[in-house]
Amino acid sequence: MTRVGLYLDLRVPAGRDAADVYRRTLDRVVAAEERGLGAVWVTEHHGFADGYLPAPLTMAAALAARTRRVRIGTGVVIAPLVPAETLAEQAAVVDLVSGGRLELGLGAGWRAEEFERVGADHRTRYDVLEARLARLPQLWADGTVTPAPVQDPVPTWVGARGPRGARLAGRAGAGLLWLDPDLIAPYREGLAAGGHADTGRLGGLVNVFLADDPDEAKARLREAAGRNRASYRGNDEAAKSSGDTTFPRLKVRTGPDAVAAVREQLAPLAGMPVTDVFCFADLGGLPDDLVDRHLELVTDVLTPGLADAAAVVA
């Protein structure tokens, strides 16, 4: 079964109150869980003018405290920005607060500016990510970090958009948190090299926004979508980074059409189980009625429509 989740970046556009955005987001996740939501995922960036979420595991703990059933994922924590021990402690606390619901997604990061802020080496980020993935289970197992998480092992993912990261994910035995058929071959190479040939799994963003009237919704969300894309471009320049910031283009669809669009996106991934998909809950500053209806359609139409998607593509 494929879990359908919501993706949170907690942007706070000009004129909005940050505390209100966080409160509304937590309330909406609780309501979505009651309607059958399978998972919620949080992300991480630093230094964005609109307050893009900088503390994913802190937010994950808040979500864990307010929910009872949904899986709580990080998509992703930028692993090289914090020591392995700190990451292990924070992740363990989230898993404990949630009663064993953490899906720990890690990434290498790409914005040089974010590394400079904390004195981390941008050039070695992939090596550090791989070391973190190997070290975390050891820290929990040998008692270096206490208390240990509920889950043993904690499910791990690697967010990667290129072959190097896909191979790394496979070697670590982690899930690959990006839905790109071009990454299947290098991911399988990594799985084989690491002795994890039978444990591969995929998850990632399906960039759909659901509405009863897509044309009317497009007109109302165009400004926020453009603002979000521009924020990545601006930070690219500031960081002098060549990192790929391209997301799949947002598709605004009715519920049934969104189901069809996601199934079409997943079809080229045949042969590898897709356990998780997620879409943005909000684009930052959208009208409340648009967001609330989108979330209702995600739980009431998209979720049941994709219930057998993992079997279709596996």
Side-chain angles (χ1 to χ4, degrees), residues 202-223:
L202 302 178
L205 178 71
V206 289
N207 206 11
V208 292
F209 190 92
L210 282 61
D212 296 312
D213 184 341
D215 290 336
E216 188 263 352
K218 284 179 188 178
R220 299 176 69 194
L221 63 78
R222 187 171 291 117
E223 180 182 353

Side-chain angles (χ1 to χ4, degrees), residues 159-179:
R161 301 189 207 174
R164 181 178 182 180
R167 291 189 188 92
L168 187 159
R171 288 196 300 271
L176 178 59
L177 205 59
W178 193 248
L179 300 173

Side-chain angles (χ1 to χ4, degrees), residues 185-200:
Y187 181 47
R188 283 186 167 141
E189 290 172 14
L191 288 167
H196 308 293
D198 298 325
T199 62

Side-chain angles (χ1 to χ4, degrees), residues 52-307:
Y52 195 118
L53 180 64
L57 287 167
T58 302
M59 188 62 188
L63 289 161
R66 289 288 304 275
T67 58
R68 294 292 176 268
R69 182 186 54 79
V70 293
R71 301 295 293 180
I72 298 171
T74 58
V76 293
V77 172
I78 305 172
L81 299 187
V82 294
E85 291 78 7
T86 300
L87 179 55
E89 290 170 344
Q90 293 179 355
V93 168
V94 174
D95 203 49
L96 289 161
V97 173
S98 68
R101 291 183 282 135
L102 177 63
E103 299 281 330
L104 183 60
L106 305 178
W110 55 268
R111 290 182 65 228
E113 179 183 307
E114 294 180 340
F115 286 73
E116 293 166 4
R117 288 160 62 99
V118 297
D121 188 347
H122 183 260
R123 297 166 300 178
T124 62
R125 61 194 185 278
Y126 284 99
D127 294 335
V128 174
L129 170 60
E130 191 157 16
R132 295 283 188 273
L133 287 160
R135 183 67 175 137
L136 288 175
Q138 297 171 358
L139 291 170
W140 293 320
D142 66 17
T144 299
V145 165
T146 60
V150 175
Q151 299 179 96
D152 184 15
V154 173
T156 56
W157 298 82
V158 170
R161 301 189 207 174
R164 181 178 182 180
R167 291 189 188 92
L168 187 159
R171 288 196 300 271
L176 178 59
L177 205 59
W178 193 248
L179 300 173
D180 183 347
D182 291 340
L183 298 183
I184 298 299
Y187 181 47
R188 283 186 167 141
E189 290 172 14
L191 288 167
H196 308 293
D198 298 325
T199 62
R201 66 196 187 284
L202 302 178
L205 178 71
V206 289
N207 206 11
V208 292
F209 190 92
L210 282 61
D212 296 312
D213 184 341
D215 290 336
E216 188 263 352
K218 284 179 188 178
R220 299 176 69 194
L221 63 78
R222 187 171 291 117
E223 180 182 353
R227 184 173 60 239
N228 283 11
R229 295 184 74 86
S231 74
Y232 287 110
R233 290 195 296 271
N235 280 284
D236 261 349
E237 294 167 2
K240 297 182 173 60
S241 168
S242 60
D244 177 12
T245 61
T246 303
F247 278 118
R249 185 167 294 278
L250 180 68
K251 302 179 181 71
V252 184
R253 298 286 189 269
T254 64
D257 286 350
V259 172
V262 173
R263 284 180 169 270
E264 182 179 358
Q265 181 180 347
L266 300 183
L269 303 172
M272 183 65 66
V274 178
T275 63
D276 287 87
V277 298
F278 45 81
C279 57
F280 280 101
D282 189 358
L283 299 183
L286 290 182
D288 288 338
D289 65 307
L290 271 187
V291 175
D292 290 337
R293 183 57 177 155
H294 165 60
L295 300 189
E296 289 175 354
L297 291 170
V298 166
T299 55
D300 297 359
V301 181
L302 188 63
T303 294
L306 297 179

